[in-house]
Amino acid sequence: AGSLALALFLARDAASDALVYGLAATVAVAALLLMRRGTLVSLRLPLHDAEAWAVLVVVGSSAIGAAWLPAGQADTLLIVTVCVALVWVLARTAAQGYAALRVEFGDATAFALLSPLVAGCALFALRALVSLLEPGLGQVPRSAPLQIESPFNVAVAMLLLLLCLLVHGSLAATLMLRQLGQLRTQSQRDALTGLYNRAEWTRQLGAQHRWLGRYGDPFGVLMIDIDLFKKVNDTHGHAAGDAVLVAVARILLASARDLDVVGRLGGEEFGVLLPRTEPVAARRAAERLRLMLADAEVQWKQQPLRVTVSIGVALAVDADESPEQIVERADRALYQAKRAGRNRVVVARLAS
């Protein structure tokens, strides 16, 4: 669409000025609206197509009205209308994109990605202002289609070319960053529950252990296992088992603090890291989780399923104890809870 608009501008000697300029202006705005729509689709934002059609109607109406005006006034009307339309499209796209990108990448990266759109707003706003204050500046005589000897037109053309390159580069960078983010998420998350996978949970455990060594803040480790999970699979099928796993994960996340780290370690086993947690608080957190899960119902084909969990708790207070040893203590406590009858919490003794 952008190439078509440029071709129409260059072909103004081959057709009536009103037809060529009006159609080229409308096509140029349509090209930017298509870019905006693609950006919104890639960011999974509402498309607001009615707004796009309204902008095209305004530009098209101005093009038709310009056909009845003298050449100088017609040029000014079209330039101002098109520039205002482009400023609106760029500003609206930047505002919508910023709200979405800042969530993914933070304020600084979001602004950097959208800065070409902001620059475009400034450029087109300046072009409209110049056209209003100096109507003859930059207008091209009909007998000289390219008017390459006009420094103003050359400067504007070069700036527009640079802007187009920057906008396309920004969009490409946004897509690349989002793809990298998705790959990073896939490498860190369990596909079924969305919780951290074992590798990422273990990495977070190592980071928490280093924090313990540096600042002395204790933390708790909860190892959680769903009781008699094999019976759920054997009785209702693996799809029902998956539904139970998803429900357990949802409850664990809902009850966790912002600083807690919840992961699925494999099968029906989950792990929770409780940073800056004392022994009493760790046990209370485990009991709260056990009760919440015991009271929850998982609806499966109009049939409620109930599950319980056994939880082993280990508190890390000594940096000389390795992360693997801490997890091993929590695992032993978990198996003690299983042997003692399930649906209970056992707190491991501190390492001697």
Side-chain angles (χ1 to χ4, degrees), residues 9 12 16-26 63 75 78 140 142:
F9 276 120
R12 56 176 166 261
S16 67
D17 292 332
L19 173 63
V20 172
Y21 273 88
L23 183 58
T26 305
D75 286 349
L78 279 174
V140 179
R142 301 300 189 258

Side-chain angles (χ1 to χ4, degrees), residues 208 211-212 216-222 257 259-261 272-286 288 313-317 350:
Q208 195 61 48
W211 189 270
L212 168 65
D217 290 338
F219 66 93
V221 174
L222 308 185
R257 303 170 298 174
L259 68 164
D260 294 341
V261 181
V272 180
L273 298 179
L274 303 174
R276 303 176 189 175
T277 302
E278 300 294 337
V280 175
R283 184 181 185 93
R284 286 176 179 170
R288 184 177 68 253
V313 182
L315 194 74
V317 296
L350 292 175

Side-chain angles (χ1 to χ4, degrees), residues 21-348:
Y21 273 88
L23 183 58
T26 305
V27 172
V29 174
L32 198 59
L33 287 170
L34 287 174
M35 183 209 72
R36 172 178 180 261
R37 196 177 197 278
T39 301
L40 296 180
V41 168
S42 68
L43 296 177
R44 297 182 179 88
L45 295 173
L47 299 180
H48 301 291
D49 286 334
E51 295 179 358
W53 285 112
V55 172
L56 284 177
V57 168
V58 170
V59 174
S61 300
S62 298
I64 295 173
W68 303 95
L69 296 175
Q73 295 179 13
D75 286 349
T76 300
L77 175 62
L78 279 174
I79 290 172
V80 172
T81 302
V82 171
C83 286
V84 170
L86 295 178
V87 167
W88 184 91
V89 174
L90 289 172
R92 186 90 166 104
T93 305
Q96 291 177 288
Y98 182 75
L101 291 174
R102 68 181 299 192
V103 175
E104 284 192 71
F105 307 119
D107 291 336
T109 302
F111 182 79
L113 290 172
L114 297 173
S115 57
L117 303 186
V118 178
C121 289
L123 177 62
F124 288 121
L126 179 62
R127 183 66 183 93
L129 183 62
V130 168
S131 186
L132 287 172
L133 298 178
E134 296 288 343
L137 183 61
Q139 289 184 2
V140 179
R142 301 300 189 258
S143 60
L146 295 179
Q147 190 66 11
I148 59 174
E149 66 271 16
S150 169
F152 180 83
N153 287 336
V154 171
V156 170
M158 294 301 294
L159 286 174
L160 287 174
L161 178 60
L162 178 61
L163 175 65
C164 290
L165 293 175
L166 289 175
V167 168
H168 283 83
S170 174
L171 294 177
T174 301
L175 292 176
M176 183 182 68
L177 287 175
R178 298 193 79 219
Q179 289 294 328
L180 289 174
Q182 291 173 3
L183 290 174
R184 183 168 57 251
T185 298
Q186 291 172 3
S187 68
Q188 294 175 345
R189 299 283 179 173
D190 173 62
L192 177 64
T193 63
L195 301 179
Y196 286 123
N197 57 28
R198 175 179 283 275
E200 178 59 20
W201 189 86
T202 302
R203 190 190 71 80
Q204 298 267 4
L205 171 65
Q208 195 61 48
H209 186 266
R210 289 191 294 274
W211 189 270
L212 168 65
R214 181 174 299 178
Y215 300 104
D217 290 338
F219 66 93
V221 174
L222 308 185
M223 302 300 290
I224 304 169
D225 191 82
I226 301 175
D227 297 326
L228 303 176
F229 182 73
K230 185 176 183 299
K231 184 177 179 181
V232 175
N233 282 332
D234 293 343
T235 304
H236 303 282
H238 289 282
D242 288 347
V244 168
L245 291 171
V246 171
V248 169
R250 188 181 302 117
I251 293 172
L252 291 177
L253 279 178
S255 64
R257 303 170 298 174
D258 290 341
L259 68 164
D260 294 341
V261 181
V262 185
R264 181 187 176 198
L265 307 185
E268 66 272 25
E269 188 176 18
F270 299 83
V272 180
L273 298 179
L274 303 174
R276 303 176 189 175
T277 302
E278 300 294 337
V280 175
R283 184 181 185 93
R284 286 176 179 170
E287 282 289 354
R288 184 177 68 253
L289 283 176
R290 184 187 66 80
L291 291 173
M292 290 177 64
L293 290 166
D295 292 339
E297 279 189 357
V298 180
Q299 292 295 327
W300 176 252
K301 295 182 178 180
Q302 288 77 48
Q303 181 180 359
L305 301 179
R306 288 186 175 275
V307 296
T308 61
V309 296
S310 300
I311 303 178
V313 182
L315 194 74
V317 296
D318 184 1
D320 290 335
E321 185 183 20
S322 69
E324 293 76 15
Q325 291 172 324
I326 298 169
V327 171
E328 185 180 349
R329 282 198 295 116
D331 265 332
R332 287 200 299 267
L334 169 63
Y335 288 117
Q336 290 177 21
K338 290 281 190 183
R339 289 193 297 269
R342 302 184 180 88
N343 188 25
R344 66 192 61 220
V345 173
V346 172
V347 180

